[in-house]
Amino acid sequence: MLPAVLSGFAAALVASWLHRLERETAGWIIALLPAGLFLYFSGFIEIIAAGDTVAVSYAWVPTMGINLSFYADGLSLLFVLLISGIGTLVLIYSGGYLKGHPQLGRFYSFILIFMASMLGLVLADNAITLFVFWELTSLSSYLLIGFDHKREGARFAALQALLVTALGGLALLAGLLLLGQAGGSLELSVLLSRGELVRAHPLYTPILFLILAGAFTKSAQFPFHFWLPNAMEAPTPVSAYLHSATMVKAGVYLLARLHPILGGTDIWMYVVTGVGAATMLVGACLALRQTDLKRILAYSTVSALGILTLFLGLGTPAAIKAAVVFLLGHALYKGALFLVAGAVDHETGARDVDRLGGLRQAMPITAAAGGLAALSMAGLPPLFGFIGKEMLYEAAYGSLGAALPLTSAVVLASMIFVAVAGMTGFGPFTGKKTSTPKHPHEAVMSLWLGPMLLGLSGLLLGLLPASVGNSLLSPAIEAVSGQAGDLELTLWHGLNPTIALSAVTLAGGAGIYAGREALRRAASRLQMTSWWGPARWYSLLLDGLNVLARGQTRLLQSGYLRYYLLIIIATALGLAGPKLASLGGPPGLVSWQEVRFYEWSLAALILLAALVAIRSRSRLGAVAALGVVGYGVALVYVLFGAPDLAMTQFMVETLTVILFVLVFYHLPRFARLSSGLVRARDALVAVTAGALITTIILFSSNVQFHPKISGYFAEHSLPLAHGRNIVNVILVDFRGLDTLGEITVLAVAAVGVYALLKLRLREEKSK
Amino acid sequence: MTSLILSTTTRFLLPLLLMFSIFLLLRGHNEPGGGFVGGLLAAAAFALHAIAYSVGATRRLLIIDPRALIGAGLLIAVASGAAPLAAGLPFMTGQWWSPEVPALGKLQIGTPLLFDTGVYLVVLGVTLTIILSLAEE
């Protein structure tokens, strides 16, 4: 399974190159990969329908319970087939849609990276693996929304989507880690059987809210829904693939996946159902206000995601069945409608529903595909959307306690779905022919193949629902509900209340469709959401963050070395001083008689040199005096038996003097610029810093914190590390990783110094 | 500023200093020394050469750009740490060989020495990059 998951990343590496080689057919060739994956994973259907699961695991950081492990059950498989199946069609479609685009090769790479990440996400067993792929989908979505990176709108939307979903991703990571602690494992397959344990855990509420934050931001739930319509800046194949069929369903997937672990509590039901219902209604109402084909579809997608969340929140067997069936139906018709919208846009140059009409003669095949998808979205028999909608009604109707408000809300959303289906799947093709920027004619095959196949599969599944019911949907439902159940999908349910509701929905939807312009005018007069809506909060927060960042940068990053030193020393004093003071005065010194005369003279020499360095009126003199201080300190090391340290100190002092001398050449003449007050302040800081270090040394020489450490090194240096020089053995062996980090920092610093010097040189030259 | 005394002395001092720096590197595991101080000493030797002659002359003498030494050093250090991975051991596990070499006796060669060589090269490269760039201005 691992090669199948990772194949997309490998293909992304060669996609750009393949596109350069085969401009015309690259899309078809690359589509072979997801098609192959679709076939490969189709082979799992039988195994999983029989009640088995497929799992692989590779150790990653086994000591921390992190594994690269994958696990396919009914739920994963449903998503995997959607991802690879729709991925195939979208790749073919992209080849036609972005034909001649200079960056088409890059586009293929991004789409493949996304597909592989999405596969990894829905197949992941380990929570950390899931998180990594989760973030990869956010990243690839960022690249794809901002694909047309020269437009500011695209960049803004890409960043917005990334910030919202990545923020949720961080919450998700925290939630998953806590979940791992509460459940005692990071493997989801293990956690699935420990739901009781997790739900009774004192951390259950924070875990739930953190994970919901991740799921809700990803799946554009209210109040985070605003990024999804803006993401329509992406090329249409991306909107169809990421922002309706797959990625935005990742949050829904997570809810479904964790339902057996976290679900079933009151708090789960109220929060998830409430947020889902709000999203469903907000999305549906906002959809009516739009005239842009893609934005209408985007808001209706928000609404559909709300429906899925709502029903997963309810958590009754009927609700879960309905959610899973609706999920499949929605992916098929919404993907198709997006692709149809893209084809219309591609052929006519217009996306405004008011300016489109009568295209059925010019684009008969696209019109047929759009019609099929619209019928499914409107929930008309014999399409698959009808079955999904009927099941939603049944579940809402049968929910205890809140049947009436819930059913009416779902019916209202479905009515708007009927109107949206009319606006996007029928409107552009029927009625009077309008004039469009481009002369319309039928799209090329790559553009109609995808929507046509999706539309036809909606019809086929509607006619033969049992074909997927038992083999694919039933195992998925079992995975979500955590218990075996039977699923009987039939087109005809008999004369029951849901049929009556369907009729009401159609009539109401037709009414909304007829009065859509009046509704839109009324809605646009209520322009309230623009100033108190969540999108406004997003921009306020972002601006606030920028102001904060700029302010603290101005405060801390003065650009003057002296202020940096001042801040560092003052911070060290502020942090360590009070602690030292609380310990009482420094411990008594060793007896003065033990200090030898040459140690006295060395100390005197160091002090004298320091005074000379301060008082000197020549730079060279000051640096030479500083060098004397350094050599004096090195001599102290020699006297007290630290030859390694002394040698290094000698070398560092020598090179420092050389560096200073080289720098002096560029400095202006020495002058005293600071006032007496400033010098007094600096003197105070310097003296207190010296006093602090002295006190720390006095304390530390008296306190033996861990006597074992040096003993351990002395004992094991030779037998374990084959070295007698403990200092060196620590540097290159016991603490080698630290040294590796240090030399990396050194290298980075050198690159920085080099860049600064060379850039200045070049500037001077250009002047 | 060229001084005949300094340039003549440097001609003899440079090879001596460089040999001493390698001596420090090699003995470091058992006696005072090591890659860090060895690299600093080598850098000081080349800095002396640059002062006695010119930066251009030092660059010609070096042949390799000091920046390349940084990269090479880092690569060697990482490779010495990664070597034990091939044997299925954790990153940076010390690996030792004790070959019998005629005239030198039994030697102790291990990945930590290789790692120290990487440190030596990084320190030499970093110091020289900074000193030579500053001196060139």
Side-chain angles (χ1 to χ4, degrees), chain B residues 71-95:
Chain B
L74 273 182
L75 271 181
I76 290 175
V78 171
S80 79
L85 291 180
L89 293 166
F91 186 66
M92 292 199 83
T93 313
Q95 298 284 64

PDB file of all heavy atoms in Angstrom, chain B residues 71-95:
ATOM      1  N   GLY B  71      30.848  23.508   3.073  1.00  0.00           N
ATOM      2  CA  GLY B  71      29.919  22.474   2.609  1.00  0.00           C
ATOM      3  C   GLY B  71      30.508  21.089   2.744  1.00  0.00           C
ATOM      4  O   GLY B  71      29.854  20.157   3.228  1.00  0.00           O
ATOM      5  N   ALA B  72      31.783  20.960   2.346  1.00  0.00           N
ATOM      6  CA  ALA B  72      32.424  19.652   2.412  1.00  0.00           C
ATOM      7  C   ALA B  72      32.478  19.162   3.859  1.00  0.00           C
ATOM      8  O   ALA B  72      32.187  18.000   4.148  1.00  0.00           O
ATOM      9  CB  ALA B  72      33.830  19.743   1.821  1.00  0.00           C
ATOM     10  N   GLY B  73      32.827  20.086   4.761  1.00  0.00           N
ATOM     11  CA  GLY B  73      32.911  19.709   6.169  1.00  0.00           C
ATOM     12  C   GLY B  73      31.583  19.227   6.713  1.00  0.00           C
ATOM     13  O   GLY B  73      31.509  18.193   7.380  1.00  0.00           O
ATOM     14  N   LEU B  74      30.523  19.986   6.391  1.00  0.00           N
ATOM     15  CA  LEU B  74      29.199  19.589   6.870  1.00  0.00           C
ATOM     16  C   LEU B  74      28.816  18.223   6.316  1.00  0.00           C
ATOM     17  O   LEU B  74      28.284  17.368   7.037  1.00  0.00           O
ATOM     18  CB  LEU B  74      28.153  20.621   6.441  1.00  0.00           C
ATOM     19  CG  LEU B  74      27.952  21.818   7.361  1.00  0.00           C
ATOM     20  CD1 LEU B  74      26.864  22.712   6.821  1.00  0.00           C
ATOM     21  CD2 LEU B  74      27.580  21.352   8.760  1.00  0.00           C
ATOM     22  N   LEU B  75      29.120  18.021   5.028  1.00  0.00           N
ATOM     23  CA  LEU B  75      28.777  16.734   4.402  1.00  0.00           C
ATOM     24  C   LEU B  75      29.506  15.596   5.089  1.00  0.00           C
ATOM     25  O   LEU B  75      28.918  14.546   5.386  1.00  0.00           O
ATOM     26  CB  LEU B  75      29.160  16.767   2.920  1.00  0.00           C
ATOM     27  CG  LEU B  75      28.080  17.283   1.981  1.00  0.00           C
ATOM     28  CD1 LEU B  75      28.582  17.233   0.544  1.00  0.00           C
ATOM     29  CD2 LEU B  75      26.831  16.408   2.117  1.00  0.00           C
ATOM     30  N   ILE B  76      30.808  15.815   5.342  1.00  0.00           N
ATOM     31  CA  ILE B  76      31.592  14.750   5.989  1.00  0.00           C
ATOM     32  C   ILE B  76      31.031  14.444   7.373  1.00  0.00           C
ATOM     33  O   ILE B  76      30.871  13.285   7.764  1.00  0.00           O
ATOM     34  CB  ILE B  76      33.076  15.168   6.065  1.00  0.00           C
ATOM     35  CG1 ILE B  76      33.686  15.165   4.665  1.00  0.00           C
ATOM     36  CG2 ILE B  76      33.855  14.230   6.981  1.00  0.00           C
ATOM     37  CD1 ILE B  76      35.100  15.670   4.618  1.00  0.00           C
ATOM     38  N   ALA B  77      30.698  15.531   8.121  1.00  0.00           N
ATOM     39  CA  ALA B  77      30.177  15.321   9.473  1.00  0.00           C
ATOM     40  C   ALA B  77      28.866  14.534   9.431  1.00  0.00           C
ATOM     41  O   ALA B  77      28.673  13.582  10.191  1.00  0.00           O
ATOM     42  CB  ALA B  77      29.965  16.673  10.154  1.00  0.00           C
ATOM     43  N   VAL B  78      27.970  14.928   8.517  1.00  0.00           N
ATOM     44  CA  VAL B  78      26.690  14.232   8.433  1.00  0.00           C
ATOM     45  C   VAL B  78      26.896  12.794   7.966  1.00  0.00           C
ATOM     46  O   VAL B  78      26.288  11.855   8.492  1.00  0.00           O
ATOM     47  CB  VAL B  78      25.734  14.984   7.485  1.00  0.00           C
ATOM     48  CG1 VAL B  78      24.492  14.151   7.223  1.00  0.00           C
ATOM     49  CG2 VAL B  78      25.360  16.324   8.074  1.00  0.00           C
ATOM     50  N   ALA B  79      27.812  12.629   6.985  1.00  0.00           N
ATOM     51  CA  ALA B  79      28.049  11.274   6.469  1.00  0.00           C
ATOM     52  C   ALA B  79      28.607  10.381   7.569  1.00  0.00           C
ATOM     53  O   ALA B  79      28.213   9.213   7.696  1.00  0.00           O
ATOM     54  CB  ALA B  79      29.022  11.344   5.291  1.00  0.00           C
ATOM     55  N   SER B  80      29.525  10.922   8.404  1.00  0.00           N
ATOM     56  CA  SER B  80      30.090  10.101   9.483  1.00  0.00           C
ATOM     57  C   SER B  80      28.989   9.704  10.461  1.00  0.00           C
ATOM     58  O   SER B  80      29.025   8.628  11.045  1.00  0.00           O
ATOM     59  CB  SER B  80      31.186  10.868  10.203  1.00  0.00           C
ATOM     60  OG  SER B  80      30.617  11.796  11.108  1.00  0.00           O
ATOM     61  N   GLY B  81      27.996  10.609  10.634  1.00  0.00           N
ATOM     62  CA  GLY B  81      26.896  10.249  11.515  1.00  0.00           C
ATOM     63  C   GLY B  81      25.961   9.252  10.880  1.00  0.00           C
ATOM     64  O   GLY B  81      25.375   8.404  11.558  1.00  0.00           O
ATOM     65  N   ALA B  82      25.822   9.344   9.549  1.00  0.00           N
ATOM     66  CA  ALA B  82      24.870   8.486   8.860  1.00  0.00           C
ATOM     67  C   ALA B  82      25.434   7.097   8.605  1.00  0.00           C
ATOM     68  O   ALA B  82      24.671   6.156   8.385  1.00  0.00           O
ATOM     69  CB  ALA B  82      24.444   9.129   7.541  1.00  0.00           C
ATOM     70  N   ALA B  83      26.767   6.978   8.629  1.00  0.00           N
ATOM     71  CA  ALA B  83      27.380   5.686   8.306  1.00  0.00           C
ATOM     72  C   ALA B  83      26.811   4.532   9.134  1.00  0.00           C
ATOM     73  O   ALA B  83      26.481   3.479   8.574  1.00  0.00           O
ATOM     74  CB  ALA B  83      28.895   5.783   8.449  1.00  0.00           C
ATOM     75  N   PRO B  84      26.669   4.693  10.459  1.00  0.00           N
ATOM     76  CA  PRO B  84      26.142   3.567  11.243  1.00  0.00           C
ATOM     77  C   PRO B  84      24.718   3.170  10.861  1.00  0.00           C
ATOM     78  O   PRO B  84      24.303   2.043  11.151  1.00  0.00           O
ATOM     79  CB  PRO B  84      26.181   4.065  12.690  1.00  0.00           C
ATOM     80  CG  PRO B  84      26.901   5.353  12.685  1.00  0.00           C
ATOM     81  CD  PRO B  84      27.019   5.839  11.304  1.00  0.00           C
ATOM     82  N   LEU B  85      23.992   4.080  10.200  1.00  0.00           N
ATOM     83  CA  LEU B  85      22.620   3.741   9.796  1.00  0.00           C
ATOM     84  C   LEU B  85      22.624   2.517   8.892  1.00  0.00           C
ATOM     85  O   LEU B  85      21.700   1.700   8.933  1.00  0.00           O
ATOM     86  CB  LEU B  85      21.975   4.915   9.061  1.00  0.00           C
ATOM     87  CG  LEU B  85      21.645   6.165   9.867  1.00  0.00           C
ATOM     88  CD1 LEU B  85      21.016   7.213   8.988  1.00  0.00           C
ATOM     89  CD2 LEU B  85      20.705   5.822  11.012  1.00  0.00           C
ATOM     90  N   ALA B  86      23.683   2.413   8.075  1.00  0.00           N
ATOM     91  CA  ALA B  86      23.758   1.285   7.148  1.00  0.00           C
ATOM     92  C   ALA B  86      23.822  -0.031   7.916  1.00  0.00           C
ATOM     93  O   ALA B  86      23.350  -1.066   7.443  1.00  0.00           O
ATOM     94  CB  ALA B  86      24.980   1.445   6.252  1.00  0.00           C
ATOM     95  N   ALA B  87      24.431   0.029   9.112  1.00  0.00           N
ATOM     96  CA  ALA B  87      24.521  -1.191   9.919  1.00  0.00           C
ATOM     97  C   ALA B  87      23.291  -1.367  10.804  1.00  0.00           C
ATOM     98  O   ALA B  87      23.276  -2.222  11.672  1.00  0.00           O
ATOM     99  CB  ALA B  87      25.795  -1.138  10.771  1.00  0.00           C
ATOM    100  N   GLY B  88      22.293  -0.483  10.605  1.00  0.00           N
ATOM    101  CA  GLY B  88      21.078  -0.600  11.394  1.00  0.00           C
ATOM    102  C   GLY B  88      21.187  -0.012  12.782  1.00  0.00           C
ATOM    103  O   GLY B  88      20.351  -0.254  13.632  1.00  0.00           O
ATOM    104  N   LEU B  89      22.263   0.773  13.024  1.00  0.00           N
ATOM    105  CA  LEU B  89      22.446   1.386  14.334  1.00  0.00           C
ATOM    106  C   LEU B  89      21.915   2.814  14.299  1.00  0.00           C
ATOM    107  O   LEU B  89      21.798   3.404  13.239  1.00  0.00           O
ATOM    108  CB  LEU B  89      23.934   1.402  14.691  1.00  0.00           C
ATOM    109  CG  LEU B  89      24.536   0.020  14.927  1.00  0.00           C
ATOM    110  CD1 LEU B  89      26.046   0.096  14.940  1.00  0.00           C
ATOM    111  CD2 LEU B  89      24.025  -0.549  16.248  1.00  0.00           C
ATOM    112  N   PRO B  90      21.600   3.397  15.466  1.00  0.00           N
ATOM    113  CA  PRO B  90      21.115   4.779  15.465  1.00  0.00           C
ATOM    114  C   PRO B  90      22.138   5.755  14.894  1.00  0.00           C
ATOM    115  O   PRO B  90      23.342   5.471  14.892  1.00  0.00           O
ATOM    116  CB  PRO B  90      20.854   5.068  16.947  1.00  0.00           C
ATOM    117  CG  PRO B  90      20.740   3.759  17.591  1.00  0.00           C
ATOM    118  CD  PRO B  90      21.572   2.805  16.797  1.00  0.00           C
ATOM    119  N   PHE B  91      21.628   6.912  14.462  1.00  0.00           N
ATOM    120  CA  PHE B  91      22.454   7.986  13.922  1.00  0.00           C
ATOM    121  C   PHE B  91      23.578   8.330  14.907  1.00  0.00           C
ATOM    122  O   PHE B  91      23.344   8.446  16.106  1.00  0.00           O
ATOM    123  CB  PHE B  91      21.547   9.202  13.693  1.00  0.00           C
ATOM    124  CG  PHE B  91      22.213  10.351  12.994  1.00  0.00           C
ATOM    125  CD1 PHE B  91      22.622  10.224  11.677  1.00  0.00           C
ATOM    126  CD2 PHE B  91      22.398  11.560  13.639  1.00  0.00           C
ATOM    127  CE1 PHE B  91      23.212  11.288  11.024  1.00  0.00           C
ATOM    128  CE2 PHE B  91      22.983  12.636  12.991  1.00  0.00           C
ATOM    129  CZ  PHE B  91      23.401  12.492  11.676  1.00  0.00           C
ATOM    130  N   MET B  92      24.804   8.460  14.386  1.00  0.00           N
ATOM    131  CA  MET B  92      25.968   8.898  15.158  1.00  0.00           C
ATOM    132  C   MET B  92      26.464   7.892  16.195  1.00  0.00           C
ATOM    133  O   MET B  92      27.116   8.273  17.161  1.00  0.00           O
ATOM    134  CB  MET B  92      25.711  10.250  15.837  1.00  0.00           C
ATOM    135  CG  MET B  92      25.593  11.366  14.848  1.00  0.00           C
ATOM    136  SD  MET B  92      25.834  12.979  15.550  1.00  0.00           S
ATOM    137  CE  MET B  92      27.589  13.115  15.555  1.00  0.00           C
ATOM    138  N   THR B  93      26.151   6.624  15.994  1.00  0.00           N
ATOM    139  CA  THR B  93      26.789   5.617  16.849  1.00  0.00           C
ATOM    140  C   THR B  93      28.244   5.479  16.405  1.00  0.00           C
ATOM    141  O   THR B  93      28.507   5.303  15.222  1.00  0.00           O
ATOM    142  CB  THR B  93      26.100   4.258  16.684  1.00  0.00           C
ATOM    143  OG1 THR B  93      24.709   4.445  16.764  1.00  0.00           O
ATOM    144  CG2 THR B  93      26.564   3.285  17.738  1.00  0.00           C
ATOM    145  N   GLY B  94      29.183   5.580  17.349  1.00  0.00           N
ATOM    146  CA  GLY B  94      30.588   5.491  16.981  1.00  0.00           C
ATOM    147  C   GLY B  94      30.948   4.107  16.429  1.00  0.00           C
ATOM    148  O   GLY B  94      30.560   3.089  16.995  1.00  0.00           O
ATOM    149  N   GLN B  95      31.646   4.092  15.309  1.00  0.00           N
ATOM    150  CA  GLN B  95      32.075   2.830  14.698  1.00  0.00           C
ATOM    151  C   GLN B  95      33.596   2.840  14.652  1.00  0.00           C
ATOM    152  O   GLN B  95      34.192   3.820  14.215  1.00  0.00           O
ATOM    153  CB  GLN B  95      31.542   2.698  13.266  1.00  0.00           C
ATOM    154  CG  GLN B  95      30.039   2.669  13.167  1.00  0.00           C
ATOM    155  CD  GLN B  95      29.484   1.325  13.576  1.00  0.00           C
ATOM    156  OE1 GLN B  95      29.619   0.922  14.717  1.00  0.00           O
ATOM    157  NE2 GLN B  95      28.860   0.633  12.661  1.00  0.00           N
TER     158      GLN B  95
END
